[in-house]
Amino acid sequence: HQFTLTFGVPLSGGVWLRGFAAAQFKDYSEDLRLLFPIDVDTEREDSNFFTLDLSRDLNRSVTALLRFASYNNESVIRNIFYRKNIFTLGLDLRF
């Protein structure tokens, strides 16, 4: 099962606070050893994360963005989890 939460709140001065989170609950019925990868596609490891960002349009085609993301995901080896935190400062360009 996986639960997701998405929200966006306008703040003053044209700034937006947005968030996206997901939690996935896993329970394996067999007690297999750690040698068996569950999946070789690392893009599908995202199972538990929280992302929070502040953004502001600078003009019609440019948005400034400050983002924090925290991940607690299962690796390709089952029952082995890893954590990572990422801070991002960037510009979104629309053309």
Side-chain angles (χ1 to χ4, degrees):
H1 300 297
Q2 185 176 34
F3 297 96
T4 60
L5 171 69
T6 303
F7 67 89
V9 179
L11 303 176
S12 65
V15 175
W16 278 83
L17 173 66
R18 298 178 300 177
F20 182 55
Q24 186 177 58
F25 305 100
K26 296 181 180 183
D27 183 27
Y28 296 108
S29 58
E30 311 95 29
D31 183 23
L32 296 177
R33 296 294 162 222
L34 302 175
L35 300 175
F36 299 104
I38 55 172
D39 198 343
V40 294
D41 183 6
T42 57
E43 292 295 319
R44 299 198 316 189
E45 292 175 17
D46 288 350
S47 55
N48 299 291
F49 60 88
F50 175 74
T51 301
L52 189 65
D53 66 47
L54 291 170
S55 64
R56 184 173 188 276
D57 288 341
L58 302 178
N59 60 42
R60 292 183 64 174
S61 61
V62 179
T63 300
L65 176 74
L66 175 63
R67 176 175 291 155
F68 169 74
S70 182
Y71 298 87
N72 181 25
N73 296 326
E74 188 173 29
S75 71
V76 295
I77 304 209
R78 131 182 182 168
N79 275 335
I80 300 293
F81 286 78
Y82 66 92
R83 289 180 184 253
K84 67 180 177 179
N85 295 317
I86 301 171
F87 289 95
T88 305
L89 176 61
L91 296 174
D92 289 337
L93 305 174
R94 294 178 293 279
F95 46 106

